Amino acid sequence: LGSVPRYRNWTIMMRLVLALAALAAGASGFALGGKQRVLVAGKGYAHLLIGSKAVEEGYKVTALVSDVEEAPKMFRPNLAKQIEYVPLSAFGPELLEKQDVLIVAPDAPATKGLMKSVYEDVAKLSNPKKLKVVITSFNGVDRCEDFMSEAWRANFIRGGDIARAKYMEKYVRETFEPLGCQYTFVRHGKLVGGGGEDGFGEESKFYNSFPEYNQLLTERMHDNGQCDVELAVEDTLDLKETNRKALANACLAALKLGNAPDFGVLSTEGIIEDGPWPNSDGYVSMLKSMA
């Protein structure tokens, strides 16, 4: 390079540095700039709140939504601008190739049918092992066959949701493990709340989406009075309610831990003014202490 002008030397060096950086980013599973890429998928509010909290913690978030125009209204304006919104029809190998993490978190936990369609696209990836998958499920899946148990009665009342979650988990274990994907089940109770402080926010569309006053009151009361949390590895928690904010922090904790164990999360009594309550780092610490 001795005969090449100095400015051309600089240009060549910069191109080489950028090319190496891009190669390293692709190999390590991180977007250029150090932000891990997270795709949140679901139906309802849970996956959107997970996406909101992921943005706050520095992740690069893409959200699958049913309405690209309306979805940003669920978030605080400063967060809404940082999320990429794509329609449900965009889900597929091309979108997944750009991601480091997939979080599947519908308000009613994923079914076997849903995860079968997810598996078919994950299996087409050039390197499925690089994708970390977090899936929400139900507390009680390991106990729903105990006739007349608490879980059995809850399953009956919920129209078989716990049993469906159990079959979904079995399917994922049988199909995703051969692909080499890391996956974690985050089990929860009936999902309630998610607005107010540390949630979507008072000004978001969240509270306005409940036309029945009794349901709105339930959501608000849960946000203000069930602010503490209980975590447990595997399936040992009571079949109680889980605030969507708690589920969001739990899913991010599973993401941060890498190869995290399956665990459950439920909300416990605690007034919001008595906080601060654990954030996702607090959840990580609790899970590590259980290992």
Side-chain angles (χ1 to χ4, degrees), residues 27 61 100 141 147 181 185 204 229-230 233 244 256 263 279:
V61 175
D100 304 299
V141 296
F147 186 67
C181 284
F185 294 114
S204 84
V229 67
E230 183 178 352
V233 175
R244 292 181 182 90
K256 291 179 178 180
F263 66 95
N279 56 18

Side-chain angles (χ1 to χ4, degrees), residues 2-66:
S3 61
V4 180
R6 184 170 298 177
Y7 75 89
R8 287 193 61 193
N9 283 347
W10 176 251
T11 302
I12 292 171
M13 288 296 293
M14 284 303 296
R15 287 177 177 173
L16 179 60
V17 168
L18 289 173
L20 290 173
L23 181 62
S28 63
F30 282 81
L32 193 60
K35 288 189 176 183
Q36 203 170 11
R37 300 162 297 192
V38 178
L39 174 64
V40 290
K43 184 177 181 181
Y45 306 109
H47 75 294
L48 298 178
L49 187 53
I50 293 168
S52 174
K53 287 188 173 292
V55 168
E56 290 181 326
E57 298 203 14
Y59 296 97
K60 185 176 180 180
V61 175
T62 300
L64 280 171
V65 297
S66 56

